[in-house]
Amino acid sequence: MKTSKDIKMIGHERLPFSLDEYRRRYDLVLEGMATVGVDVLLVRGPENICYLTGYETPGYYGYHCLVISPDAEPVMVLRRLEQPNVWEFSWLAESEIIPDTRVPHEVTVEVLRDRGLAARRIGVDKAAYFFTVEEYEALVASLPEATFVNAAGLVEQARLVKSEAEIDIMRGCARMLDGGMRAGVDAVRAGATEDDIAAEVHRVLVGAGSEYPSLPHFICSGPRLSMPHATWRGRVLEKGDPVFFELSATKYRYSASLMLTACDGEPEPRVRQFADACLAGLQAAKDTIAPGVTCEEVDAALHGAFEKAGIGQYHAHRAGYSIGLGFPPDWGEGHILSLKQGEQRPLERNMTFHLVPAAFIYRETGAGFSATVRVTDDGCEDLSAFPRELIVK
């Protein structure tokens, strides 16, 4: 049986983490495989592949499959075009290329047969975005001697609790994000457009070293503020218009996120009412977070602030979600763990969450503020230093 000490890992200066960090992750997943009785794991999600190996590419729309087994060296099966990214970004020593003339899963089947892994218990992630029903059925038909096991969530469980090295990168993202948010707020003025503001945000974030985000930055104003996940559309700001920001900064595919509301001039009274409730909810969630507290308890504390303010019906979403490693279409890890009603799993030290108190009335009013936080020994650390308050210029 091979552990991470037994496999070949190629270290180089382009890796964002040490080989010891990758060995820790690899062994965590091997332990998870043993727990669920899986001999071979086919890793198809770009976040999980990146987490285990460092490999990344925007071309994850194409076929990528990382084959892991305690009885063999790990190997990446991928398009020929993407193979240089294995050498550039990962520690992997072995890869198997797929010519564009081949059916991708057939090459994976050949790799399994060549390595004596075809008659094993093979774990697949039935919840993965890029693992289709068609591919699953074709694998089952091609490997009748294998037993297929749904291993959804196995790698994700390892990702939930961050290492100190991961948190250091997220802190760096938060510092870049503070600068991007400051640029956005400074650009808020009557007569400016949403496009002007977005241009400043992007200029500062990219200039600080932030990479392409896993979600677009959300910037909208006036009645458009109430639109969930709205991006800039060129609207011209008027005096007193609220401007809503939800931004992220990204490095090595790790993100920190931050939400804020700002105005050039005093907004209409309900904006301040909604902002006060959001800020109270954010503080209530921070005060509740600690190891052993359930996700549901944090959600109840945050939502309670909206109920107390008499606007509970306008806060209808979860209190927050795990955040860390992400590729488009999401910077969050909410599919792994969310702070929501009915979620009884307890928090653990070094879990990281994006707390997202916000409330809106469509085409009328609203506000939102957030924090990316780390669970500490007895509470939480806000990774951003930017002040959370309704900014009225």
Side-chain angles (χ1 to χ4, degrees), residues 12-297:
H12 51 81
E13 72 281 358
R14 297 177 301 281
L15 289 172
F17 300 101
S18 69
L19 289 184
D20 285 343
E21 169 69 6
Y22 288 114
R23 289 189 183 98
R24 180 192 70 83
R25 300 176 184 190
Y26 195 87
D27 288 337
L28 271 178
V29 172
L30 289 183
E31 290 168 13
M33 291 170 62
T35 299
V36 299
V38 168
D39 302 314
V40 183
L41 184 64
L42 306 183
V43 185
R44 293 283 279 107
E47 291 88 357
N48 291 343
I49 292 173
C50 182
Y51 176 78
L52 285 167
T53 69
Y55 176 89
E56 62 175 273
T57 176
Y60 54 86
Y61 56 82
Y63 187 91
H64 292 81
C65 182
L66 176 65
V67 181
I68 292 177
S69 172
D71 300 318
E73 290 284 326
V75 58
M76 179 84 89
V77 185
L78 76 171
R79 294 177 67 202
R80 181 188 298 273
L81 180 70
E82 300 286 359
Q83 191 179 37
N85 291 320
V86 174
W87 311 324
E88 182 72 13
F89 294 111
S90 85
W91 51 258
L92 286 164
E94 297 189 22
S95 55
E96 190 72 32
I97 60 172
I98 307 168
D100 285 347
T101 54
R102 293 290 308 275
V103 177
H105 83 269
E106 293 179 354
V107 179
T108 299
V109 169
E110 291 171 3
V111 167
L112 293 171
R113 291 197 183 283
D114 290 345
R115 292 162 187 263
L117 303 174
R120 305 293 186 87
R121 287 174 59 84
I122 299 175
V124 295
D125 184 355
K126 290 186 177 181
Y129 286 153
F130 301 101
F131 184 60
T132 65
V133 174
E134 180 182 41
E135 181 187 340
Y136 174 69
E137 291 176 346
L139 282 172
V140 171
S142 299
L143 294 167
E145 64 271 48
T147 300
F148 285 90
V149 178
N150 184 16
L154 197 155
V155 180
E156 285 84 350
Q157 188 60 37
R159 287 167 49 195
L160 260 181
V161 176
K162 274 60 176 181
S163 67
E164 295 297 336
E166 290 175 287
I167 290 168
D168 282 346
I169 286 178
M170 293 180 69
R171 286 194 185 104
C173 290
R175 288 192 294 271
M176 288 190 287
L177 183 55
D178 286 348
M181 184 64 80
R182 172 51 60 196
V185 169
D186 287 348
V188 171
R189 63 184 182 279
T193 68
E194 293 172 346
D195 296 359
D196 295 331
I197 297 169
E200 278 301 293
V201 167
H202 284 83
R203 180 184 68 82
V204 171
L205 283 175
V206 174
S210 183
E211 298 164 3
Y212 70 92
S214 295
L215 269 171
H217 303 299
F218 302 120
I219 300 169
C220 51
S221 65
R224 296 191 68 245
L225 172 141
S226 64
M227 299 290 293
H229 296 154
T231 58
W232 54 98
R233 280 288 176 91
R235 182 182 178 275
V236 179
L237 271 62
E238 298 178 10
K239 200 70 175 177
D241 277 348
V243 180
F244 174 81
F245 295 89
E246 188 174 10
L247 313 177
S248 73
T250 303
K251 196 71 176 177
Y252 304 123
R253 302 318 317 152
Y254 284 81
S255 294
S257 299
L258 184 61
M259 187 191 299
L260 196 80
T261 307
C263 314
D264 180 13
E266 185 64 28
E268 59 102 357
R270 288 182 303 173
V271 172
R272 192 170 289 280
Q273 178 196 14
F274 276 50
D276 288 346
C278 292
L279 292 166
L282 182 60
Q283 191 59 53
K286 287 182 178 181
D287 291 344
T288 303
I289 288 174
V293 173
T294 67
C295 294
E296 183 176 57
E297 289 176 284

